[in-house]
Amino acid sequence: MTGEIHWFWLAMTIAVIIWYSTITIYISFRGAFDIKEMLGRLDQLAKEEREAVDRRL
Amino acid sequence: MGVFLRVGGEFLVTVCGFNERYLEITMTALLVSVAIYTIMGGMLSVLITDYLQFVVMSVGLLVVTVLILYKVGWTNITDAVATQHGAGGFNPFVHEKLGYAFVIYFALHQLAVVLTWQTTVQRLLAAKDTLTGLKIYTRTSFFFVCRFLIPGLWGMAALAVLGPQWIGTPESLQAMPKLLSTIVPMGLMGVLIAAMLAADMSTDSAYMLTWGSVIYNDILAPFRNKNFSEKRGILWNRMIVGCIGIFLLVYGLWYPLKGNLWNYLAITGTIYLASMSVLLISCCYWKRANNWGAAGAIMAGAVIPITYLVMEQLPATKGLAARIGPYQSGIATYAVAWTAMIGGSLLKPKTETVLEEAKAL
């Protein structure tokens, strides 16, 4: 029984390392892309707001 | 929450091999740097730094975990646990100090954490729609296994390398950083320190920002006669975040770390978690839930953990507290919070509820 539990935890540890590595690689690329897109959107929004203020003046 | 800063500071000081007298300076420097970018940049800076910190932290965690498995070895780790704890080291149900009470309490506790803990709920509230909110729960669920298994593995490796003499001593919290300082080579140590700094800083910034927004939006809202202008709102938020930073520093400097920190965090967390999870579930799914029940659940949910913490400190009741145990007192807290919620709600006369609802309309 103890041997089986050791295997269970070993399998869980391997699963964690594989899953965590995959998520880290995925988030590194996807996150950079999302943040770049978000900053671009915020820049555009700020630009539109500035233009609206200029038009009012 | 004030404990995290001290834990992070002590970890860094031990891993880097600094003199302990630099602990306060390390903690203050950590907090000041986090406070500056949280106060000045708000949500945007926390979001971007959290992303960068996640990447650095994850790389560090993975590299060090693989190194530990390579250098210490799986067999040595499991043998050390088996020698020290027997079958209970691998199965909480058969552990003499854990058992079913441990599993039930932490099942309730973790359910309450994912439902109501501010730093977790923040992700849900930032989701663009319900579907994304559901995905946050389903797709990140295995991440909680990683969060518990990786530090657990590091602790087990510390037991295998340093031996059992650290167990139960006030210095036991330093066993894992001590192990890392001895087995991690010089170059990788930089990656590890960067990873731990990232983990500590992202925790502190997320706590300051999320609890700051709770204080501003929920606690201070009833005292504001009219909505603040954006500029004034930001100023208030910055002041609140600054005050939370001061609280973290004062509490971190004052609180001495003791042996079982995990149980201390769980019991103090239960003061909030038990009542808030009961409130959230009953207010969403039970029509009879009302403010009498909510007040009862909040009071009942706080009384048991506070009493237990006081009993643990008093010499006269220390023995009784040890006999009851933290897990039984935790389960009792959830049971009493539910009873108070149901009892309080049923005790309130229906006519009063109808009148209040009519007034609100």
Side-chain angles (χ1 to χ4, degrees):
Chain A
M1 182 65 186
T2 312
E4 283 167 19
I5 288 177
H6 286 200
W7 281 107
F8 167 78
W9 287 115
L10 180 62
M12 192 66 96
T13 305
I14 294 167
V16 160
I17 292 172
I18 294 170
W19 191 85
Y20 207 164
S21 312
T22 315
I23 290 293
T24 304
I25 295 166
Y26 175 74
I27 289 178
S28 304
F29 290 102
R30 183 65 198 267
F33 175 77
D34 282 352
I35 286 176
K36 199 178 156 196
E37 201 184 71
M38 180 191 72
L39 292 175
R41 235 182 10 247
L42 287 173
D43 261 354
Q44 184 63 32
L45 207 70
K47 200 176 153 191
E48 281 170 13
E49 274 177 13
R50 271 199 308 273
E51 281 172 1
V53 171
D54 288 346
R55 272 200 299 276
R56 259 181 269 153
L57 289 172
Chain B
M1 138 172 114
V3 173
F4 297 144
L5 185 67
R6 194 172 187 99
V7 175
E10 283 207 359
F11 186 93
L12 285 169
V13 165
T14 311
V15 163
C16 298
F18 290 160
N19 192 309
E20 253 191 53
R21 69 169 186 266
Y22 294 121
L23 174 66
E24 281 78 16
I25 299 168
T26 313
M27 282 165 58
T28 311
L30 259 174
L31 190 75
V32 168
S33 55
V34 174
I36 288 171
Y37 74 71
T38 309
I39 291 171
M40 302 312 290
M43 184 70 184
L44 192 63
S45 71
V46 170
L47 196 147
I48 294 171
T49 51
D50 263 12
Y51 159 71
L52 295 170
Q53 285 156 352
F54 172 82
V55 175
V56 174
M57 181 191 76
S58 303
V59 170
L61 283 178
L62 284 165
V63 170
V64 173
T65 304
V66 172
L67 183 85
I68 283 176
L69 287 172
Y70 174 71
K71 280 204 168 176
V72 184
W74 178 258
T75 314
N76 288 336
I77 292 173
T78 49
D79 282 353
V81 176
T83 310
Q84 196 58 40
H85 299 288
F90 303 93
N91 182 356
F93 290 106
V94 298
H95 193 286
E96 57 178 25
K97 286 183 185 165
L98 305 177
Y100 284 90
F102 168 85
V103 178
I104 294 168
Y105 172 53
F106 278 106
L108 291 168
H109 184 80
Q110 290 306 319
L111 182 70
V113 165
V114 295
L115 285 177
T116 60
W117 198 244
Q118 191 56 27
T119 48
T120 313
V121 172
Q122 166 195 240
R123 297 170 204 158
L124 186 69
L125 298 179
K128 64 178 176 187
D129 49 37
T130 313
L131 194 65
T132 314
L134 287 171
K135 280 182 189 170
I136 288 173
Y137 278 114
T138 52
R139 294 192 184 176
T140 65
S141 55
F142 194 68
F143 192 67
F144 285 89
V145 178
C146 302
R147 282 176 59 169
F148 283 88
L149 197 142
I150 290 177
L153 187 73
W154 291 14
M156 286 157 68
L159 176 68
V161 174
L162 302 174
Q165 66 270 23
W166 289 70
I167 297 175
T169 64
E171 294 81 31
S172 62
L173 284 169
Q174 287 159 13
M176 195 237 281
K178 191 84 186 156
L179 163 87
L180 297 174
S181 69
T182 51
I183 70 159
V184 178
M186 198 61 89
L188 262 182
M189 187 55 90
V191 177
L192 173 70
I193 291 169
M196 292 303 113
L197 265 175
D200 198 55
M201 289 170 90
S202 62
T203 304
D204 292 338
S205 65
Y207 270 87
M208 286 201 277
L209 191 78
T210 53
W211 287 112
S213 70
V214 167
I215 293 169
Y216 180 78
N217 290 312
D218 298 334
I219 299 174
L220 293 182
F223 302 105
R224 294 200 300 264
N225 293 328
K226 53 180 182 178
N227 279 340
F228 284 168
S229 66
E230 195 183 328
K231 204 175 166 185
R232 203 170 169 201
I234 289 173
L235 179 71
W236 266 93
N237 268 295
R238 283 176 171 167
M239 287 194 302
I240 294 165
V241 170
C243 290
I244 295 172
I246 293 167
F247 164 76
L248 288 178
L249 189 64
V250 171
Y251 195 90
L253 291 173
W254 165 78
Y255 179 74
L257 290 182
K258 290 172 195 165
N260 202 332
L261 184 64
W262 177 243
N263 279 349
Y264 175 78
L265 287 174
I267 295 166
T268 49
T270 302
I271 297 170
Y272 164 87
L273 290 166
S275 53
M276 287 305 120
S277 56
V278 166
L279 251 72
L280 183 77
I281 296 169
S282 31
C283 293
C284 286
Y285 300 106
W286 188 37
K287 280 185 181 170
R288 285 289 304 269
N290 56 46
N291 55 348
W292 282 28
I298 290 170
M299 283 188 279
V303 166
I304 294 180
I306 292 172
T307 310
Y308 183 79
L309 287 169
V310 173
M311 280 172 68
E312 261 192 328
Q313 298 303 317
L314 295 175
T317 51
K318 212 174 182 177
L320 181 62
R323 277 201 299 280
I324 295 169
Y327 315 125
Q328 282 81 353
S329 89
I331 296 169
T333 308
Y334 283 91
V336 171
W338 269 111
T339 311
M341 181 76 209
I342 296 167
S345 298
L346 293 177
L347 278 175
K348 187 175 181 180
K350 264 188 175 178
T351 46
E352 202 165 321
T353 312
V354 173
L355 277 173
E356 277 177 7
E357 281 173 358
K359 215 183 272 180
L361 288 169

